[in-house]
Amino acid sequence: MELASKFIVFLPLVGFLIAGMFGRNIGDRASQVLTSSLVTIGAALSWYVFADVAFVHNVYPVHVLDWVKSGTLEFAWAFKIDTLTAVMLVVVNTVSALVHWYSMGYMEEDPDKPRFFAYLSLFTFAMLMLVTSDNLVQMFFGWEGVGLASYLLIGFWFKKPSANAAAIKAFVVNRVGDFGFALGIYAVFLMTGSVEFDVIFANIGDYQTATMTFLGHEYHAITVICLLLFVGAMGKSAQLGLHTWLPDAMEGPTPVSALIHAATMVTAGVFLVARFSPVFEYSEYALQVVTIVGASTAFFAASVGLVQNDIKRVIAYSTCSQLGYMFFALGVGAYGGAVFHLFTHAFFKALLFLGAGSVIHALHHEQDMRNMGGLFKKIPFTGTVMIIGTLAITGVPFLSGFYSKDLIIEAAYASDAGASQFAFVMGVAAAFMTSFYSWRLIFLTFFGETRAKQKYFDHAHEGPIFIKVPLAILALGALGAGFIFKEFFIGHERVAFWNGALVTAMDDVMEAAHHVPGAVIAAPFVVMLLGFLLAFAFYGRKTDLPKRTAEMWDGLYAFLLNKWYWDELYNFLFVRPAFWLGNVFWKRGDEQTIDGFGPNGVSAAVAAVAAKARKLQTGYVYHYAFAMIIGLAVVVTWFMAQSGAH
């Protein structure tokens, strides 16, 4: 089992190294098959480890090598294999394997396939390093690794200025969150003297009243640590305030979007908070912050998704909203429910993104839904699987999203934690909007009269088998993953299933969620149905309702279309002042001061004097004779003057 765990983590690294260094030598097809096969083997082994850990309860550490021994700081490079890790291994490797195979069809015309597949494998390896870590430094290594890989993949088409800008934006915004995470790691070590999870969790109760002093004020140490860690989680998982990079990440190839949004980078923050649930349990205030931020994000992102026109951006804001659900589930103590939604969400969100990629592929890279329509008759397979994904994400009974998302809403209602009722209201409102924008996407893309360019519509067709098979597998996951695993993640088997990987001290929240009033249970279904009917009324029939509504509520429409003006706000508060300050340092500091006194000042003066002195060296003998006579006359005059003075 230890060997299997090592293979799971390092096989993608092997694929990255071979495709990255020798891809041009072994060729495109060999690079694609090699990287895809290695990740697929890792996916198969992940399911094997998942079955062993979750159902046989074989929890074990895997030592790779001794790493750091410096004073009191000592830890190894090791894997913590428990149920939470096993779930993440399944999610990361399964989606990554399907994305690899899908990319063989989607990126068929790209001239730089070895580099793309190398980056995909690097992304997978970094995420696996993150979720298998048994200490904070190792986690930070994987944390920064996924940040690097996302930068490389979002900006893969580096000749596009928009892709480069999006990659830089993702990297810079995540640096803000990562700085908080780094401070959190330092604070944990300062308080506990260790960065190893087992040591931290075993002894955290000893520090429940500990304080930290900063600028003369004392703060509850565990609350400070939790908030710093959560800042890191906000960056990676695109929560409100640090979310602005996520929609722009759509500039990367569609398989990248699927991998980022379903299995890797954005799930890292949820995993971090879930892993540190034993620590968060000691800070009611930190959990309340997690709840408020998560619920606000769920509502905000869903509202923006209502009016977006780019098919990938609609799904991107959907991801942001669903991550909000996961975080407020963590905040109210429904840790198992949050991870269950992460698990089911991976299937239907990857399905929706890859389905959108199939649409874009069929319409010659068109992404604006206003230029689509009537595509179901041209690509019925893609339309069918995307409808399945939509049914799952909107919470139609007995599909995956129904079991995980509804449980989160019910847990928020049942919880006594701070801001839980706020989360419940925001969750129900977001469920209504999720249904509306999801069905809006389906109606605009697949039904009605086509608005696409006729030449593209006439030639629209399904993608190759490499695109179809991953979509079919993900559709099966969207249909059945929730029903198959619900008893283990959130049902009566949950305590044995998690086996200490998540805190069970607030497990009464999970139990209470199954006994809420009928109206609460019905609320998500009712708003889902209302969202569908409203979307059908607006977009499923020949009507001018959307245009009339946008004109009537033009201010609100502009507010949502411009994403609550977050980018404009940040541009005013941070970007423009940063450019102004940089310009001051450049023009006044560098050019006028440093260059003025340096190369353009003293150095220039010396050069000018030297240039004039150089003119004295003419090479003519009579010039030198004349200079000697003048010099002799000066000397004689000086001596005569001195003699007269005496």
Side-chain angles (χ1 to χ4, degrees):
M1 191 61 67
E2 292 186 10
L3 184 61
S5 301
K6 292 179 181 178
F7 273 122
I8 290 170
V9 174
F10 291 112
L11 283 177
L13 177 62
V14 172
F16 159 69
L17 293 173
I18 295 175
M21 293 191 293
F22 308 110
R24 295 189 183 277
N25 296 326
I26 64 177
D28 290 354
R29 183 59 72 183
S31 299
Q32 292 172 302
V33 173
L34 174 70
T35 52
S36 302
S37 299
L38 291 177
V39 175
T40 303
I41 293 170
L45 291 174
S46 296
W47 282 99
Y48 170 64
V49 169
F50 173 73
D52 184 65
V53 172
F55 305 124
V56 185
H57 309 306
N58 287 330
V59 178
Y60 52 90
V62 178
H63 184 273
V64 178
L65 52 84
D66 293 332
W67 196 1
V68 172
K69 291 183 179 180
S70 178
T72 59
L73 180 62
E74 181 176 339
F75 56 89
W77 187 354
F79 303 150
K80 181 180 177 63
I81 307 298
D82 60 5
T83 308
L84 180 59
T85 300
V87 169
M88 296 303 298
L89 290 177
V90 165
V91 168
V92 173
N93 274 318
T94 301
V95 173
S96 180
L98 294 173
V99 167
H100 272 74
W101 292 109
Y102 176 95
S103 299
M104 291 179 66
Y106 190 85
M107 303 293 288
E108 188 176 11
E109 299 177 1
D110 195 274
D112 206 359
K113 289 184 277 290
R115 180 167 66 93
F116 181 76
F117 278 78
Y119 288 168
L120 284 183
S121 292
L122 174 64
F123 204 174
T124 306
F125 166 70
M127 190 64 189
L128 293 172
M129 281 294 302
L130 192 158
V131 301
T132 58
S133 56
D134 86 329
N135 63 79
L136 280 165
V137 178
Q138 185 178 329
M139 178 181 276
F140 194 71
F141 176 82
W143 195 269
E144 294 303 300
V146 294
L148 168 64
S150 68
Y151 170 80
L152 296 173
L153 284 167
I154 294 169
F156 177 76
W157 288 321
F158 55 84
K159 293 183 180 180
K160 288 175 58 180
S162 58
N164 287 325
I168 292 171
K169 186 175 183 179
F171 200 77
V172 170
V173 172
N174 271 276
R175 296 289 69 74
V176 178
D178 294 354
F179 180 64
F181 187 25
L183 289 177
I185 294 173
Y186 175 72
V188 169
F189 178 71
L190 186 67
M191 184 177 74
T192 66
S194 177
V195 293
E196 295 178 297
F197 295 154
D198 289 342
V199 176
I200 296 168
F201 300 157
N203 299 303
I204 191 65
D206 298 337
Y207 304 97
Q208 56 184 307
T209 59
T211 59
M212 288 183 174
T213 302
F214 181 70
L215 297 178
H217 296 278
E218 285 194 346
Y219 302 94
H220 184 224
I222 294 179
T223 297
V224 171
I225 288 170
C226 290
L227 292 177
L228 289 172
L229 295 178
F230 181 58
V231 169
M234 287 177 64
K236 278 289 181 287
S237 294
Q239 292 300 282
L240 190 62
L242 295 179
H243 68 280
T244 53
W245 67 270
L246 191 63
D248 291 353
M250 298 302 98
E251 291 293 337
T254 300
V256 174
S257 303
L259 194 57
I260 290 176
H261 286 248
T264 53
M265 189 161 166
V266 299
T267 63
V270 179
F271 172 79
L272 170 62
V273 177
R275 173 62 79 197
F276 268 77
S277 57
V279 179
F280 275 83
E281 280 296 296
Y282 286 97
S283 176
E284 182 179 345
Y285 179 78
L287 286 174
Q288 187 170 337
V289 171
V290 173
T291 303
I292 293 172
V293 172
S296 301
T297 304
F299 180 86
F300 154 75
S303 70
V304 175
L306 295 173
V307 298
Q308 298 301 304
N309 297 309
D310 185 307
I311 188 171
K312 288 172 64 177
R313 283 182 180 265
V314 173
I315 305 173
Y317 277 106
S318 170
T319 299
C320 194
S321 181
Q322 298 304 307
L323 289 166
Y325 276 100
M326 298 175 205
F327 274 107
F328 80 68
L330 294 168
V332 301
Y335 300 108
V339 179
F340 188 37
H341 195 50
L342 184 155
F343 178 78
T344 60
H345 176 264
F347 291 103
F348 54 73
K349 186 49 57 70
L351 175 61
L352 289 170
F353 262 116
L354 297 185
S358 182
V359 171
I360 295 167
H361 184 271
L363 281 182
H364 199 71
H365 307 295
E366 177 62 66
Q367 295 184 200
D368 194 325
M369 295 185 297
R370 293 171 295 185
N371 299 325
M372 297 181 185
L375 285 174
F376 195 86
K377 65 183 76 173
K378 306 292 288 187
I379 47 175
F381 175 79
T382 299
T384 300
V385 296
M386 286 200 72
I387 289 173
I388 292 173
T390 300
L391 292 170
I393 194 172
T394 56
V396 170
F398 313 119
L399 274 71
S400 294
F402 168 73
Y403 294 104
S404 57
K405 188 169 71 175
D406 285 23
L407 182 279
I408 290 174
I409 294 173
E410 292 159 10
Y413 179 86
S415 175
D416 293 327
S420 60
Q421 297 310 301
F422 170 75
F424 169 72
V425 173
M426 292 294 100
V428 172
F432 167 74
M433 292 186 284
T434 299
S435 181
F436 178 84
Y437 68 65
S438 297
W439 287 110
R440 172 178 177 264
L441 183 152
I442 294 297
F443 291 133
L444 283 176
T445 304
F446 293 104
F447 298 102
E449 297 295 326
T450 186
R451 301 171 301 281
K453 292 182 179 179
Q454 198 61 44
K455 61 178 180 178
Y456 295 152
F457 182 78
D458 291 341
H459 292 91
H461 60 279
E462 297 284 6
I465 191 169
F466 288 115
I467 288 180
K468 288 182 178 178
V469 171
L471 288 175
I473 294 173
L474 289 169
L476 292 175
L479 285 169
F483 177 77
I484 293 171
F485 292 101
K486 62 182 175 62
E487 285 300 319
F488 301 102
F489 280 84
I490 60 173
H492 298 299
E493 303 291 333
R494 63 186 180 276
V495 175
F497 175 80
W498 290 114
N499 195 24
L502 295 175
V503 164
T504 56
M506 290 182 68
D507 198 65
D508 56 330
V509 174
M510 297 289 290
E511 183 61 34
H514 295 287
H515 301 91
V516 294
V520 175
I521 297 174
F525 175 79
V526 171
V527 296
M528 176 272 295
L529 189 59
L530 289 174
F532 166 76
L533 293 174
L534 188 62
F536 179 75
F538 270 66
Y539 301 99
R541 304 170 64 185
K542 294 180 181 179
T543 175
D544 60 348
L545 267 178
K547 182 179 179 181
R548 286 166 48 197
T549 304
E551 291 173 350
M552 182 182 301
W553 300 92
D554 56 340
L556 177 61
Y557 179 76
F559 181 70
L560 297 178
L561 189 65
N562 289 283
K563 303 158 287 187
W564 290 26
Y565 294 103
W566 276 96
D567 285 328
E568 289 78 4
L569 177 64
Y570 282 0
N571 186 60
F572 175 76
L573 293 177
F574 303 114
V575 178
R576 288 172 58 186
F579 272 100
W580 177 84
L581 188 62
N583 191 65
V584 168
F585 281 124
W586 170 30
K587 292 293 185 181
R588 297 184 182 179
D590 189 15
E591 290 186 352
Q592 295 180 15
T593 304
I594 298 175
D595 287 350
F597 286 99
N600 299 329
V602 176
S603 298
V606 171
V609 171
K612 292 179 180 179
R614 191 165 56 247
K615 293 180 180 179
L616 297 174
Q617 306 297 323
T618 64
Y620 294 110
V621 175
Y622 62 86
H623 284 172
Y624 299 141
F626 179 74
M628 292 172 64
I629 291 170
I630 294 297
L632 180 62
V634 170
V635 171
V636 170
T637 302
W638 185 79
F639 274 111
M640 292 176 64
Q642 290 295 106
S643 299
H646 292 293

